[in-house]
Every structure is written in C-alpha cells, then in structure tokens.
Amino acid sequence: MTTSHTDMKVRDVAHPMLAQLEPEDGSRQRAVVLMRRILSSKVRSQNHRLLAETGAPTFQARHGRPPESLADIEESLFDVPAYRMWSAANRAVQEMLWMSVGEPIFRDQARIEAAAKALSEAPDKRGSLHLDPGYDPSPEVAEVDIHLQPGGYALARSPTDVTAGALYETGGNVFSFSVGGRRDDSKAAAISRLIEQEYPGFVPRRILDLGCSAGAASAAYAWRYPDAEVHALDIGAGMLRYAHARAESLGVAVHFHQMDASRLAFADASFDLVVSHNVLHEMSDQTRQAMIAESMRVLRPGGLLIYQDVNVRSITDPVVKADIVWEKHFNGERFWLAYSNADLCADLLAGGFPSEQIREHEIPAVAGALRWYVIAARKPETQGTPA
Ligand SMILES: C[S@@+](CC[C@H](N)C(=O)[O-])C[C@H]1O[C@@H](n2cnc3c(N)ncnc32)[C@H](O)[C@@H]1O
C-alpha cells in the first residue's frame, strides 16, 4: 500500500517542538527572508555586468590576460566593490537567519526538550531511537558549522538536548524563503513520484534514509509507504532525538540510528530502498564512495538506490559557478564544489552498479520553482544479471 503524493501533509504539520514565536520573531524572520530574496536574485543577477565592466578589465590590467579559470573569475569579482559588498551582506544575512531562528528556540528550550522527551518515551510510541555513546562523529561533518548552523549538525550539549534538530527544521523553513514550512516534504514527494514513474510496481518494504537530519523525509516515507519499515540515520544525538520525537508527534514509525553513512551497521541485502536527500554535497569524495559501497551492500538484489541533491552539477557558466566557490569559502559548505564536479556515475559503477542501471535525472520539486538532481540505480537481481 502507498499513499499518493497529493493526499499527505508532513512538513507543515504543527508539532510541539516548534518554538512559540513572539510577534517580533516573525517580523525578524520575514525581514531575513526578504533580504535573502533581494540578495540572491536582484543583486546576484548583476554579477555578469560587474565582471564585464569592472572585474575583467582590472584583472586584465594586473595580469596582462583576461580571466579564464574559476579562480580568475573569483579574483576578478572580488576586485569589484559592489561584489564585495554583496559578499559581506550575504554572509551577514545568513548569520541573521540563525539569530532569528535561534533566539525563539533558546528562549523556549526547556519546553521544547520536555516535549521531545515525552514523545520519545511515550508508552505507545511507534518508532525507536538508537544512540551510540561510543560514536565519534566524523570531523568532516562535525568540525564545521555547515551553512553556519550554530554548533553544526553534531551539536548535543546534554543528554536531552534537541537544539540541532530544532535549528535545522526551522532554519530550513526560513532558509527556503518560508515555502518549505507550509508544505509536504517536497523532496520525498518528488522521489516517490519518480519511483511511480520510473519503477512502476516497486513498493519498498524496508527503507533506509541516509543523513536524515530532523527526519522530514524519513517521516514522509513512513507516511507514504505505511507497510514499510523505515530506518534513518545521522551523526548527531541532538538531531536524532528531535527527529524521533517529531516522527512520533506525526504518528509515524521511524527507527533512528546514530551511525555514519559510510559505515553501516545493517546486514547485507536488508533494504529494498536506500535514499539520501541533500547529503552528497556535504561529504568528501572518499566518504561518498564508501557510502555508495555500503548502500550496495545493504540493498537486496533488485533493490533501489536513490540519491537526491541540489541541482548545481549542470552549471557551466563560470560566474554562476563562482557562487559555489563562495559557498565553500563563506558559508561552511566545504564540499559543495567537490560535489558539483564529481563523476557520480563513475562512482556508482565503481560501487558495483551496472552502467545500464544507472540513471541521472533533473526533476522538479512537487511545488515551487526548485529543481533537484537525482542519481538512481537498481542492484542486479543476481550477480552479472541486471534486474
Ligand atoms: C543538508 S542535511 C540534509 C538532511 C535531510 N536529508 C533533508 O534533506 O532534510 C545533510 C545531513 O547529512 C548528514 N551527514 C553528513 N555526512 C554524514 C555521514 N557521513 N553520515 C551520516 N550523516 C551524514 C548531516 O549530519 C546532515 O544532517
């Protein structure tokens, strides 16, 4: 049994771990959204003109040749005062975003933690939470505050702390210009639709969501495939406590695990569907390749791997690509450029997926203008005989 992508609402469901906002909190968050909108559309669209009129001539005068490489373009853009102004404002707005999201969460922290604890310990809970006190989160994710989230994904300041999840969920809603908060989890919805179209009749009985954060997609899969057993993992105890309580509050069963996506503690051939959402762009080449090998190992023959991520891999315009470098230098997105340049088909081939099974897609979000990159592959039914 599956639930259609039109009749469910997961991400917009109010639950008790959302901070209670004062009117000023809402104003501040709306102001941040507005500033982000202006900076990322109206101001950013001037970059080509700034490069042509000022950046490139300055570079030419300094080096005796026009800017060619991505590093040249970056240097040229930073020669333009208006670009430096945009850069500083963009960084400042990202910091303001976290202040506008963090203040109500920290103010309401005791109530949020108590609500999460009650949900996680409820006698009628449906899913489970498996924290590993011996797990030391990989420094490649834990030592950087990716997109400046305070404390990063691994933040866990006490045995009941859920702040990382609270920040991630509300930050995501504000970051996505407030559209995400009033909507179904659009990533899981888009992937369920892709499965219906590309793999008709495929109904997974065991699903694994790698790098689940606050569990929005994990909960959505549990809703969409009510007969499936859904497992999800991430690196931080604070994130996972929140994700588990959130899923319980939505009435869906998800089993959350503190585990590295590149070292899975699950049995061989134990999942029908392995998914990841927006995780590829946050890991090194080595971690990604290990995650692919582990996904292959835990998939049953005929099982399906689907990784979805941001749609920056098709960008060839060097001025737009300079934005990716900016993310790396100023927004804690240290692997954004590596992801945009990676040969993911070659990685899946090296991980044992046959080339005829590997498909790349660019798919629209279920609502809004966003488009996603997706790479999918089916594990052969038998070794040497593709499904
Ligand atoms: C951008 S978030 C995406 C979260 C969620 N899938 C979504 O789409 O809302 C990336 C998540 O991947 C997790 N992650 C990154 N590297 C990981 C690894 N090696 N093992 C497990 N999780 C990882 C991070 O901790 C973070 O929570």
Side-chain angles (χ1 to χ4, degrees), residues 30-100:
R30 279 191 295 279
V32 168
V33 166
L34 191 61
M35 278 190 280
R36 277 186 46 78
R37 219 173 248 158
I38 292 167
L39 287 172
S40 66
S41 57
K42 292 194 171 57
V43 179
R44 207 185 281 244
S45 63
Q46 303 297 311
N47 287 350
H48 284 94
R49 185 180 58 76
L50 297 179
L51 179 72
E53 287 177 2
T54 315
T58 308
F59 185 96
Q60 172 87 41
R62 184 183 303 128
H63 297 282
R65 62 176 179 83
E68 280 159 9
S69 68
L70 194 51
D72 294 348
I73 303 289
E74 201 194 0
E75 180 184 327
S76 308
L77 284 169
F78 270 96
D79 271 329
V80 185
Y83 184 84
R84 291 204 295 277
M85 189 69 190
W86 168 83
S87 170
N90 213 35
R91 164 84 192 202
V93 165
Q94 185 71 357
E95 291 178 353
M96 286 164 66
L97 180 148
W98 290 115
M99 279 186 255
S100 77

Side-chain angles (χ1 to χ4, degrees), residues 16-35:
M17 279 91 57
L18 292 175
Q20 289 169 353
L21 299 188
E22 302 290 345
E24 320 73 278
D25 300 320
S27 312
R28 207 171 291 142
Q29 291 180 356
R30 279 191 295 279
V32 168
V33 166
L34 191 61
M35 278 190 280

Side-chain angles (χ1 to χ4, degrees), residues 16-17 104-118 157 160-163:
M17 279 91 57
I105 289 173
F106 289 116
R107 199 174 57 222
D108 208 8
Q109 191 172 355
R111 190 199 57 79
I112 294 173
E113 270 187 27
K117 192 164 183 291
R157 297 167 305 165
T160 52
D161 190 17
V162 294
T163 311

Side-chain angles (χ1 to χ4, degrees), residues 312-314 321 324 335-342:
V312 295
R313 291 170 48 74
S314 51
K321 202 143 185 170
I324 299 175
F335 299 118
W336 193 265
L337 191 61
Y339 159 73
S340 83
N341 291 330

Side-chain angles (χ1 to χ4, degrees), residues 26 158 205 208 214 220 230 242 255 258 281 304 333 344 356 367-368:
S158 78
R205 289 155 300 165
L208 176 60
V230 178
Y242 183 92
H255 305 283
Q258 188 172 24
H281 76 264
L304 184 58
E333 294 281 6
L344 298 180
E356 64 275 20

Side-chain angles (χ1 to χ4, degrees), residues 173-191:
N173 293 344
V174 176
F175 179 85
S176 56
F177 301 126
S178 278
V179 289
R182 285 193 292 275
R183 230 188 263 156
D184 175 12
D185 181 76
S186 63
K187 303 183 296 310
I191 294 306

